[in-house]
Amino acid sequence: ETGVTQTPRHLVMGMTNKKSLKCEQHLGHNAMYWYKQSAKKPLELMFVYSLEERVENNSVPSRFSPECPNSSHLFLHLHTLQPEDSALYLCASSQVLTSGKYNEQFFGPGTRLTVL
Amino acid sequence: RKEVEQDPGPFNVPEGATVAFNCTYSNSASQSFFWYRQDCRKEPKLLMSVYSSGNEDGRFTAQLNRASQYISLLIRDSKLSDSATYLCVVNRQVNDYKLSFGAGTTVTVRA
């Protein structure tokens, strides 16, 4: 596998379900991101992990819970979601340099989530 | 004011035409600028970075105007495969690796 992979690619869940999204990057990057993309809206940054430390929550509802066990893996745990949470959830990674500069972000194919 | 604003389009152009569009950003401290391309129901992919002096990559030319806080993308000799949504992406401030995305400009190239 190369690049950034995400599973599952599609997910339909009820409001009482608990599910998890998985992301894995094979690029040796040290930062990973979760984004939400709703129709006709800009990507919304949900969480950032840099060097395995979460650095931003960005006012995301607590029904979304991220987990980053190491620099290559990122999870988004979902519970008691609402229909308005239906969207494309994208994972990305990048390399943050010691100078503070960084390279571009590479995205996974996304998980298309539908909450019934 | 939105951090990054784009004309949503769509820009409908014939093959071989030139199409250009801008993106404005609100944070004057932004240092890094990118154009990403997103095909329907796919993930965004980096098209090109935008440098202060402007840069060209084949049929694509990107320009930065810091005084007016906008970047532009020009596509020459449009191909059918150029049909996509183009996302303007800006970092929020100096040395900040978190990016702000525009909602995208849709380009449709017709035969």
Side-chain angles (χ1 to χ4, degrees):
Chain A
E1 290 275 17
T2 58
V4 182
T5 58
Q6 289 186 244
T7 55
R9 296 292 306 276
H10 300 273
L11 178 62
V12 179
M13 60 188 288
M15 289 190 285
T16 58
N17 291 158
K18 289 186 179 180
K19 296 286 184 183
S20 294
L21 310 185
K22 179 182 176 182
C23 175
E24 185 172 358
Q25 60 99 358
H26 310 267
L27 300 168
H29 289 163
N30 59 9
M32 295 187 76
Y33 311 77
W34 278 117
Y35 288 91
K36 175 184 178 181
Q37 187 175 35
S38 303
K40 303 298 183 184
K41 291 186 177 180
L43 271 72
E44 301 171 46
L45 179 63
M46 300 176 72
F47 301 103
V48 180
Y49 277 85
S50 176
L51 302 174
E52 300 175 34
E53 178 185 356
R54 189 168 77 195
V55 296
E56 179 166 324
N57 187 322
N58 210 35
S59 302
V60 176
S62 59
R63 55 187 183 267
F64 295 91
S65 174
E67 178 189 359
C68 188
N70 54 59
S71 60
S72 299
H73 294 86
L74 185 65
F75 295 89
L76 187 63
H77 303 301
L78 317 171
H79 64 97
T80 60
L81 295 191
Q82 304 298 311
E84 59 264 30
D85 296 323
S86 298
L88 179 67
Y89 289 84
L90 291 159
C91 173
S93 71
S94 71
Q95 184 66 18
V96 178
L97 306 178
T98 53
S99 63
K101 294 185 178 179
Y102 66 104
N103 295 325
E104 65 271 13
Q105 293 182 14
F106 292 82
F107 286 84
T111 295
R112 190 159 296 280
L113 173 67
T114 302
V115 182
L116 302 177
Chain B
R1 184 183 173 187
K2 294 179 182 177
E3 292 182 69
V4 180
E5 293 202 62
Q6 294 185 249
D7 180 346
F11 288 76
N12 295 307
V13 299
E15 268 188 296
T18 296
V19 60
F21 41 88
N22 295 339
C23 153
T24 58
Y25 60 95
S26 61
N27 189 343
S28 59
S30 295
Q31 293 292 315
S32 300
F33 308 89
F34 307 91
W35 283 105
Y36 277 72
R37 171 194 171 129
Q38 187 171 24
D39 292 304
C40 186
R41 304 184 75 82
K42 297 284 186 69
E43 74 272 24
K45 293 185 178 179
L46 180 69
L47 178 67
M48 58 196 303
S49 301
V50 185
Y51 303 123
S52 297
S53 55
N55 49 300
E56 192 174 301
D57 183 0
R59 298 179 294 105
F60 298 84
T61 300
Q63 296 281 350
L64 168 63
N65 185 315
R66 286 192 184 276
S68 300
Q69 293 183 209
Y70 74 85
I71 65 173
S72 63
L73 182 66
L74 181 146
I75 308 173
R76 283 185 301 277
D77 188 23
S78 300
K79 311 291 186 190
L80 294 176
S81 57
D82 295 333
S83 297
T85 296
Y86 292 85
L87 307 178
C88 174
V89 185
V90 177
N91 82 321
R92 296 179 183 177
Q93 54 189 324
V94 175
N95 292 336
D96 187 349
Y97 50 84
K98 297 184 285 294
L99 304 177
S100 294
F101 287 76
T105 296
T106 299
V107 173
T108 303
V109 181
R110 62 183 187 274

